[in-house]
Amino acid sequence: EFAMSAVMQSWSGANWLVAAARFQRPADRLGGLFGRRRMFLIGLSAVGLFALISGMAWSGWALLATRFVSGVGSSLVVATNMAILTGVFPKEERGRVLGLTTGVTYFSIAIGPFLGGTLAFHFGRRAIFFACFVATAIPSMVAYYSLRHEWTEANGAPFDFSGARLYLLAIGRVVSGCRLLPGWLGRG
């Protein structure tokens, strides 16, 4: 549809992974500073919104950009979800809840390619992104209305910009060493 090369098509998923990896640690710190619930909701909303925009992408570069921002949103979700679960459930229930969450995560990883391929085959590639939008809209609403407590732990400590930049650069160096990804995705 966009006359993208095979390599550029692979960047759609790769730059999502790069963004999710690069921003996860800074996202965790933002959750500690501004509230895990707030960052979780912002991240989940960003994943859904930018999945929707990815489904409506007008060019290959727009698709790459929206996938990158969706990856940043995903880093906010991943960095805060387990902390929220351990804050919501009492100690005696945490093992069950964390085990269930981990099981659902790995089930999703296993079934995702099959579902994505089925959607793309029957409805086109845009259907994958629209399904992702629906799959994040529902949990966003549930989380917004059911999570009332806000979890912060920084107590006024500032955000460590130099540490975050060093982390982003370190992850970028690891990624740029990967021969499957273009060098510009790994540059700091």
Side-chain angles (χ1 to χ4, degrees):
E1 180 179 346
F2 299 134
M4 295 168 66
S5 68
V7 173
M8 193 170 174
Q9 288 176 29
S10 71
W11 296 349
S12 174
N15 73 355
W16 182 90
L17 287 170
V18 168
R22 282 185 111 172
F23 290 93
Q24 190 169 347
R25 183 64 190 122
D28 178 52
R29 183 66 178 142
L30 289 172
L33 286 169
F34 300 110
R36 301 214 185 278
R37 175 186 179 270
R38 179 177 294 130
M39 292 298 112
F40 178 80
L41 290 172
I42 290 170
L44 202 53
S45 299
V47 169
L49 176 64
F50 283 93
L52 180 64
I53 296 170
S54 293
M56 298 183 294
W58 53 94
S59 71
W61 290 107
L63 179 63
L64 291 177
T66 56
R67 295 291 291 148
F68 183 85
V69 177
S70 183
V72 173
S74 182
S75 71
L76 286 166
V77 173
V78 170
T80 57
N81 68 345
M82 292 296 187
I84 290 172
L85 288 174
T86 58
V88 170
F89 290 94
K91 287 182 181 181
E92 42 294 334
E93 292 183 42
R94 285 183 192 158
R96 181 183 59 81
V97 170
L98 294 176
L100 180 63
T101 302
T102 302
V104 168
T105 299
Y106 282 101
F107 175 76
S108 300
I109 290 170
I111 197 79
F114 170 75
L115 290 177
T118 301
L119 284 171
F121 180 78
H122 291 290
F123 305 106
R125 66 139 189 104
R126 293 178 189 270
I128 298 169
F129 299 113
F130 298 142
C132 183
F133 170 73
V134 172
T136 56
I138 295 167
S140 293
M141 289 185 284
V142 170
Y144 180 79
Y145 289 109
S146 64
L147 292 175
R148 294 289 175 210
H149 184 73
E150 186 62 87
W151 296 269
T152 58
E153 59 190 34
N155 299 326
F159 185 80
D160 182 10
F161 286 100
S162 56
R165 178 165 166 65
L166 181 62
Y167 180 81
L168 294 173
L169 288 170
I171 294 294
R173 291 293 167 222
V174 169
V175 170
S176 66
C178 178
R179 299 285 182 228
L180 299 176
L181 297 176
W184 62 267
L185 279 177
R187 289 190 191 127

